[in-house]
Structure formats: structure tokens, C-alpha cells
Amino acid sequence: MKMIWNKLTSLLSRTALVSGAWLATAAHAVNDLPGGPAVRQLNLAPPVTKIAEEQQWLHWFMLILCTVIFIAVFAVMFYSIWKHRKSVGHKAANFHESVVVEVIWTIVPFVIVILMALPATKVVVALKDTSNADLTIKATGMQWKWGYDYIKGEGEGISFVSTLDSSHRAMSNAGGPPKGQAVDDYLLKVDNALVVPVNKKVRIITTANDVIHAFMVPAFGIKQDAIPGFVRDTWFRAEKTGDFYGQCAELCGKEHAYMPIHVKVVTAEQYAAWVDGERKKAAAKLDDPTKVWTLEDIVKRGERVYAANCAACHQANGKGAGPIKPLDGSAIVLDTDHTKQLNILLNGAGNGAMPSWKQLSDTDLAAVASYTKNNWSNKTGQLVQPSEVVALRAK
Ligand SMILES: [Cu+2]
């Protein structure tokens, strides 16, 4: 007996040790993601909207009510069976059409249903009331990304696509995050987050381009199918700034798990600044490629393009580093034949070590080429016009 006891306690303490160690490494490997899933999360997501709060209140209210009914009914049942068992001499009663019993078992459930239906109806009606929104955004589900179009309100006209961050795709292809690395937002990171202002009613119109998707953000208490050829809507008013995460919630094909939703809730000022930035970006894309620039203007424009896209590799001083060739003094940059540099910018070089920049606008490409030709020791006085980029693209 003693031996068994010893074995058991040693086994128990070993399990405790092992699971303790496992917990420790797990805590090191991944942490709760604020606004997203938590490690071994049990409860619903912490609510950030009134609706989500009310949903969670309903959830607990119903659960507790049902538990109380369950316990009461079973207690009465077991008590009755036990108390009136045959072995202590009870005889089965034989009655029919007891008005009292029938009235009770009609009225009591009726009261319970009303007790549940009243608050539930209130929340469902509020959930569906998308009127008087400050901001209307269309969310379009696509295999496998989300398109966002700001339709009405501040930021009207902004439109972009939100895709899973490519590094997360690469991690997933490799079987998950590297061992020991904390990736709390694994498969939830996107390139362009949906940005909305705090404390404003945001109406989300959902639709889809291909198959049925669903727009879901648990912290907001919203989940709405996005159906091709149909328009559905939902709304939220986030009461806290921060980052909140969701995912497509309708199995939509093999990459269903790769279409996360990232909502960035910001203050009114931050939102205005973001809208301004997006407007500028859109305006830059709309640059007239037939415009003829002066050297001074285009170099100034090119300086910004260079800082944003090229300096990370070629350095602000144009000297490059290691395999990244210097642009300061580069024969290709200095050449009077502009196509030499433009071809590299459009197509990349060194097997992709120098990426292709064809996603930049004609004006931006001409500007950055002009900048490199007239900066550092490169004082060529050469001016590359956007029309040259247009001509080269057409080839
Ligand atoms: Cu989907």
C-alpha cells in the first residue's frame, strides 16, 4: 500500500514539474495579444463596445438562469423519486387533468421565456440598427483578403486591400513560427489595417467577390456574412483606442485561415491625420504622367521617394553596403542613357536582391531616378521625365 502511495506521489510531483516547465516555456513562446486572442483563453474577448458588453451580459445571464433551472428541476425530480420510492411503501398516485399543475407548467416557462426574450430582443434590435452612422465602410471578402472602401463620412473615397503580412505567410509555409520566437499576432498581422476613429458609429457593409466570407471582430461583438451579390451590414462604436483583431468566420476555401482582420481604433486627431496621409498617397498615384517637370521640383520629389523606398538598402549617403551597390558614382546612374537605370528600377536586378519598383507611379520613378542623378557626387544635371517611364513600361 505504502509503495503504491510513494509511486503515486512521485508521479504526481513529476507531472507538476513537467507541466510547470512546459507552462514556463509556453509563456516565453507566446503571450496574450491585446485586442486579439489570449493564451488558453476561456471567456469571450474583453468587450470594447456597448453591444459586446450587452452580449456578454446576456450570455452569463442565460447561462446562470439555465443552470438554476437545471439544478431546481433535477433536485425536485431526484428528491421525488427518492422520497416516494416503492420500498418505503409509496404507491403510485393516479390523477388526470390537474388544472393546477397544468396552469403552473404553462405559466412558469412562459415567465422564463419572457425574462430571456426581453433583454435578448433589445440587444438584437440594437445590433441591427445601422442608422445614423458617422462612417460607412464597405468590407469586401475576397479569396483571400479583405478590401475596404470608405464610402461615407470622414475619409470618404479611401480604398485599399488588406492582406496577411507576407512574413507570416512564410512562417506558416515553414510549419509555424520559429522555435522559441514569440509571435503573438501569428497569422493576424496585415499590411494595411482598417483604421477607424474611437467613439464614432462605424457601419460596415459586407459583400464578397467570390464565395461567402464573414466579417468578425469578437471584441466589438460583430459577425456578419459577406455574400457575393448581396449587401449586408453591421455596426460598432469602439469605446477604446487600440488594435483589435478578427478573422474571416466562414469557411471560404483553402486559405480561409489567412484572411485576418486588423482594426486600428485611433483618436479623432490621429484619424484625421491618417485620412490626410491616405489622400496624399492617392493624389500621388493620380499624378499626371505627361506633366513636364523642372529639375528642382522633381529632385525634391525624388528625395522623398528615395528616403521612403531606397535608403533602407542604399543608405542615405548613397554608398550602399556589401552586395548593395553604391549609387553615388555608379556608372549606371551617371549614364546619359536613362533607360539603363529605369530598366533596373522597373525590373529589379541581382536576381531580386534589388527589387522591382514597378508598383511606384511613373512620376515617383522618374523623380527618384532624377534624384540619384543629381545628389551626392552625382551632379549630372540630367532630368528624367515621367513620360520616359511611361514609354519604357509600354515596351
Ligand atoms: Cu473568407
Side-chain angles (χ1 to χ4, degrees):
M1 188 65 208
K2 188 137 191 264
M3 220 181 71
I4 295 175
W5 174 247
N6 280 344
K7 267 236 166 78
L8 198 67
T9 46
S10 92
L11 190 73
L12 273 173
S13 64
R14 236 182 323 156
T15 344
L17 256 176
V18 169
S19 65
W22 178 67
L23 276 175
T25 50
H28 180 72
V30 67
N31 308 292
D32 294 353
L33 176 65
V39 178
R40 279 183 278 280
Q41 177 180 340
L42 276 181
N43 204 353
L44 298 160
V48 177
T49 63
K50 260 266 131 39
I51 289 278
E53 235 167 67
E54 283 174 9
Q55 286 171 357
Q56 300 197 6
W57 182 87
L58 272 179
H59 160 72
W60 286 109
F61 170 70
M62 303 271 176
L63 191 68
I64 291 165
L65 195 63
C66 292
T67 310
V68 168
I69 293 169
F70 174 85
I71 291 172
V73 167
F74 274 77
V76 169
M77 196 172 88
F78 284 122
Y79 168 81
S80 310
I81 291 170
W82 181 250
K83 181 82 185 172
H84 304 105
R85 64 193 187 277
K86 201 172 173 185
S87 60
V88 295
H90 273 282
K91 287 231 161 57
N94 208 339
F95 56 85
H96 242 283
E97 289 175 16
S98 162
V99 177
V100 178
V101 169
E102 283 184 7
V103 166
I104 288 175
W105 79 37
T106 309
I107 291 197
V108 170
F110 184 73
V111 169
I112 293 170
V113 166
I114 296 290
L115 227 57
M116 288 178 152
L118 272 182
T121 310
K122 230 182 75 198
V123 175
V124 170
V125 169
L127 203 74
K128 285 282 147 199
D129 177 16
T130 56
S131 62
N132 295 321
D134 298 303
L135 191 63
T136 302
I137 302 170
K138 184 172 82 170
T140 308
M142 299 173 235
Q143 284 175 320
W144 285 275
K145 49 188 171 281
W146 290 97
Y148 298 122
D149 297 281
Y150 289 61
I151 289 182
K152 222 171 127 198
E154 189 180 358
E156 189 174 321
I158 292 175
S159 155
F160 57 89
V161 170
S162 179
T163 320
L164 177 72
D165 187 86
S166 55
S167 67
H168 285 230
R169 160 46 56 91
M171 268 188 260
S172 172
N173 287 348
K179 276 230 154 48
Q181 193 179 317
V183 188
D184 301 340
D185 59 354
Y186 182 52
L187 295 186
L188 290 173
K189 190 174 175 195
V190 299
D191 52 357
N192 303 307
L194 178 64
V195 180
V196 297
V198 72
N199 286 324
K200 287 272 175 356
K201 183 165 181 176
V202 181
R203 177 181 178 220
I204 299 282
I205 295 180
T206 63
T207 187
N209 274 357
D210 33 48
V211 300
I212 302 179
H213 302 269
F215 188 85
M216 172 186 74
V217 183
F220 297 168
I222 58 170
K223 183 181 195 180
Q224 184 66 57
D225 273 5
I227 308 166
F230 286 83
V231 167
R232 291 282 134 89
D233 64 354
T234 182
W235 71 277
F236 64 86
R237 186 196 298 273
E239 293 176 351
K240 259 189 251 162
T241 57
D243 295 281
F244 303 99
Y245 296 88
Q247 280 170 310
C248 174
E250 185 69 61
L251 189 57
C252 59
K254 73 180 172 54
E255 285 171 46
H256 168 60
Y258 299 126
M259 47 186 301
I261 296 161
H262 174 185
V263 186
K264 214 177 184 50
V265 180
V266 297
T267 63
E269 299 81 54
Q270 285 168 331
Y271 183 71
W274 176 79
V275 167
D276 193 46
E278 291 298 303
R279 286 267 151 75
K280 288 208 178 102
K281 265 201 250 166
K285 275 194 208 134
L286 288 178
D287 275 331
D288 177 6
T290 60
K291 176 173 168 182
V292 177
W293 290 71
T294 64
L295 187 59
E296 196 190 340
D297 285 351
I298 203 158
V299 167
K300 218 183 271 161
R301 169 81 171 259
E303 189 173 358
R304 287 208 316 268
V305 181
Y306 186 86
N309 302 293
C310 322
C313 289
H314 290 285
Q315 312 288 327
N317 61 15
K319 301 262 185 256
I324 300 161
K325 294 187 181 160
L327 302 183
D328 188 8
S330 153
I332 289 178
V333 175
L334 294 173
D335 207 299
T336 50
D337 180 0
H338 299 167
T339 61
K340 284 198 179 152
Q341 179 175 2
L342 290 181
N343 270 326
I344 288 183
L345 293 184
L346 283 171
N347 305 318
N351 278 326
M354 160 70 184
S356 155
W357 294 97
K358 61 172 183 279
Q359 79 275 17
L360 292 182
S361 72
D362 300 322
T363 305
D364 278 347
L365 284 173
V368 77
S370 300
Y371 172 75
T372 57
K373 282 174 177 295
N374 293 283
N375 202 41
W376 315 297
S377 68
N378 303 351
K379 302 274 181 243
T380 63
Q382 294 174 30
L383 197 177
V384 183
Q385 294 288 359
S387 56
E388 297 176 52
V389 182
V390 176
L392 212 58
R393 276 200 214 258
K395 272 191 192 150

